[in-house]
PDB file of all heavy atoms in Angstrom:
ATOM      1  N   GLN A  98      25.321  40.410  23.515  1.00 97.00           N
ATOM      2  CA  GLN A  98      25.811  40.693  22.160  1.00 97.00           C
ATOM      3  C   GLN A  98      26.981  39.792  21.762  1.00 97.00           C
ATOM      4  O   GLN A  98      27.470  39.856  20.624  1.00 97.00           O
ATOM      5  CB  GLN A  98      26.201  42.178  22.012  1.00 97.00           C
ATOM      6  CG  GLN A  98      25.055  43.137  22.327  1.00 97.00           C
ATOM      7  CD  GLN A  98      23.705  42.652  21.800  1.00 97.00           C
ATOM      8  OE1 GLN A  98      23.575  42.319  20.625  1.00 97.00           O
ATOM      9  NE2 GLN A  98      22.709  42.573  22.680  1.00 97.00           N
ATOM     10  N   ALA A 106      17.042  29.335   5.601  1.00 94.00           N
ATOM     11  CA  ALA A 106      16.076  29.433   4.498  1.00 94.00           C
ATOM     12  C   ALA A 106      15.549  28.062   4.091  1.00 94.00           C
ATOM     13  O   ALA A 106      14.646  27.967   3.262  1.00 94.00           O
ATOM     14  CB  ALA A 106      16.736  30.112   3.313  1.00 94.00           C
ATOM     15  N   ASN A 155       4.995  40.678  -8.405  1.00 97.00           N
ATOM     16  CA  ASN A 155       3.920  39.974  -9.129  1.00 97.00           C
ATOM     17  C   ASN A 155       4.057  38.471  -8.950  1.00 97.00           C
ATOM     18  O   ASN A 155       5.085  37.984  -8.471  1.00 97.00           O
ATOM     19  CB  ASN A 155       3.980  40.342 -10.618  1.00 97.00           C
ATOM     20  CG  ASN A 155       3.540  41.780 -10.846  1.00 97.00           C
ATOM     21  OD1 ASN A 155       4.179  42.703 -10.353  1.00 97.00           O
ATOM     22  ND2 ASN A 155       2.462  41.978 -11.569  1.00 97.00           N
ATOM     23  N   VAL A 167      12.164  41.081 -19.234  1.00 98.00           N
ATOM     24  CA  VAL A 167      13.607  41.328 -19.113  1.00 98.00           C
ATOM     25  C   VAL A 167      14.131  40.378 -18.048  1.00 98.00           C
ATOM     26  O   VAL A 167      13.679  40.431 -16.895  1.00 98.00           O
ATOM     27  CB  VAL A 167      13.895  42.782 -18.670  1.00 98.00           C
ATOM     28  CG1 VAL A 167      15.392  43.001 -18.492  1.00 98.00           C
ATOM     29  CG2 VAL A 167      13.323  43.777 -19.669  1.00 98.00           C
ATOM     30  N   ILE A 203      23.720  32.161 -21.650  1.00 95.00           N
ATOM     31  CA  ILE A 203      22.909  31.140 -20.964  1.00 95.00           C
ATOM     32  C   ILE A 203      21.817  30.629 -21.905  1.00 95.00           C
ATOM     33  O   ILE A 203      21.529  31.252 -22.931  1.00 95.00           O
ATOM     34  CB  ILE A 203      22.288  31.710 -19.669  1.00 95.00           C
ATOM     35  CG1 ILE A 203      21.465  32.981 -19.974  1.00 95.00           C
ATOM     36  CG2 ILE A 203      23.369  32.007 -18.651  1.00 95.00           C
ATOM     37  CD1 ILE A 203      20.706  33.539 -18.790  1.00 95.00           C
ATOM     38  N   SER A 301      27.565  46.900  -5.362  1.00 90.00           N
ATOM     39  CA  SER A 301      26.499  47.829  -5.777  1.00 90.00           C
ATOM     40  C   SER A 301      25.148  47.118  -5.818  1.00 90.00           C
ATOM     41  O   SER A 301      24.235  47.559  -6.519  1.00 90.00           O
ATOM     42  CB  SER A 301      26.826  48.379  -7.166  1.00 90.00           C
ATOM     43  OG  SER A 301      26.947  47.295  -8.092  1.00 90.00           O
ATOM     44  N   LYS A 361       6.949  46.968  21.894  1.00 97.00           N
ATOM     45  CA  LYS A 361       5.926  46.791  22.952  1.00 97.00           C
ATOM     46  C   LYS A 361       4.965  45.671  22.575  1.00 97.00           C
ATOM     47  O   LYS A 361       4.573  44.859  23.411  1.00 97.00           O
ATOM     48  CB  LYS A 361       5.144  48.102  23.113  1.00 97.00           C
ATOM     49  CG  LYS A 361       5.815  49.078  24.041  1.00 97.00           C
ATOM     50  CD  LYS A 361       4.849  50.181  24.433  1.00 97.00           C
ATOM     51  CE  LYS A 361       5.557  51.188  25.312  1.00 97.00           C
ATOM     52  NZ  LYS A 361       5.062  52.530  25.125  1.00 97.00           N
ATOM     53  N   LEU A 372      13.196  44.078  25.286  1.00 97.00           N
ATOM     54  CA  LEU A 372      13.716  43.648  23.972  1.00 97.00           C
ATOM     55  C   LEU A 372      14.706  44.691  23.465  1.00 97.00           C
ATOM     56  O   LEU A 372      14.510  45.895  23.643  1.00 97.00           O
ATOM     57  CB  LEU A 372      12.575  43.473  22.964  1.00 97.00           C
ATOM     58  CG  LEU A 372      11.643  42.272  23.166  1.00 97.00           C
ATOM     59  CD1 LEU A 372      10.565  42.238  22.092  1.00 97.00           C
ATOM     60  CD2 LEU A 372      12.421  40.957  23.161  1.00 97.00           C
ATOM     61  N   GLY A 399      20.729  24.760  10.199  1.00 94.00           N
ATOM     62  CA  GLY A 399      20.500  24.464   8.784  1.00 94.00           C
ATOM     63  C   GLY A 399      21.268  25.315   7.792  1.00 94.00           C
ATOM     64  O   GLY A 399      20.792  25.520   6.675  1.00 94.00           O
ATOM     65  N   ASN A 410      38.504  30.395   3.752  1.00 91.00           N
ATOM     66  CA  ASN A 410      39.618  30.214   4.693  1.00 91.00           C
ATOM     67  C   ASN A 410      39.453  31.144   5.899  1.00 91.00           C
ATOM     68  O   ASN A 410      39.701  30.768   7.050  1.00 91.00           O
ATOM     69  CB  ASN A 410      40.961  30.492   3.998  1.00 91.00           C
ATOM     70  CG  ASN A 410      41.288  29.398   2.987  1.00 91.00           C
ATOM     71  OD1 ASN A 410      40.822  28.263   3.120  1.00 91.00           O
ATOM     72  ND2 ASN A 410      42.061  29.740   1.966  1.00 91.00           N
ATOM     73  N   ASP A 449       5.666  19.003   9.831  1.00 97.00           N
ATOM     74  CA  ASP A 449       4.637  19.899   9.313  1.00 97.00           C
ATOM     75  C   ASP A 449       5.149  21.333   9.373  1.00 97.00           C
ATOM     76  O   ASP A 449       6.081  21.646  10.124  1.00 97.00           O
ATOM     77  CB  ASP A 449       3.369  19.787  10.178  1.00 97.00           C
ATOM     78  CG  ASP A 449       2.626  18.495   9.904  1.00 97.00           C
ATOM     79  OD1 ASP A 449       2.322  18.247   8.731  1.00 97.00           O
ATOM     80  OD2 ASP A 449       2.377  17.737  10.861  1.00 97.00           O
ATOM     81  N   ASN A 494       2.592  22.905  20.984  1.00 96.00           N
ATOM     82  CA  ASN A 494       2.192  21.520  20.703  1.00 96.00           C
ATOM     83  C   ASN A 494       2.323  21.164  19.235  1.00 96.00           C
ATOM     84  O   ASN A 494       2.390  19.990  18.877  1.00 96.00           O
ATOM     85  CB  ASN A 494       0.740  21.295  21.144  1.00 96.00           C
ATOM     86  CG  ASN A 494       0.635  21.370  22.650  1.00 96.00           C
ATOM     87  OD1 ASN A 494       1.425  20.742  23.353  1.00 96.00           O
ATOM     88  ND2 ASN A 494      -0.304  22.170  23.140  1.00 96.00           N
ATOM     89  N   GLU A 497       1.131  24.368  13.831  1.00 98.00           N
ATOM     90  CA  GLU A 497      -0.101  25.158  13.622  1.00 98.00           C
ATOM     91  C   GLU A 497      -0.272  26.192  14.739  1.00 98.00           C
ATOM     92  O   GLU A 497      -0.650  27.337  14.492  1.00 98.00           O
ATOM     93  CB  GLU A 497      -1.315  24.219  13.563  1.00 98.00           C
ATOM     94  CG  GLU A 497      -2.602  24.973  13.288  1.00 98.00           C
ATOM     95  CD  GLU A 497      -3.793  24.060  13.032  1.00 98.00           C
ATOM     96  OE1 GLU A 497      -3.658  22.833  13.250  1.00 98.00           O
ATOM     97  OE2 GLU A 497      -4.836  24.575  12.607  1.00 98.00           O
ATOM     98  N   SER A 596      28.778  15.359 -10.672  1.00 84.00           N
ATOM     99  CA  SER A 596      29.203  14.920  -9.342  1.00 84.00           C
ATOM    100  C   SER A 596      30.355  15.741  -8.786  1.00 84.00           C
ATOM    101  O   SER A 596      30.752  15.563  -7.636  1.00 84.00           O
ATOM    102  CB  SER A 596      29.613  13.451  -9.392  1.00 84.00           C
ATOM    103  OG  SER A 596      30.692  13.321 -10.294  1.00 84.00           O
TER     104      SER A 596
END
Side-chain angles (χ1 to χ4, degrees):
Q98 303 320 308
N155 289 63
V167 178
I203 56 174
S301 58
K361 275 194 183 147
L372 289 180
N410 290 334
D449 286 306
N494 292 312
E497 183 172 10
S596 61

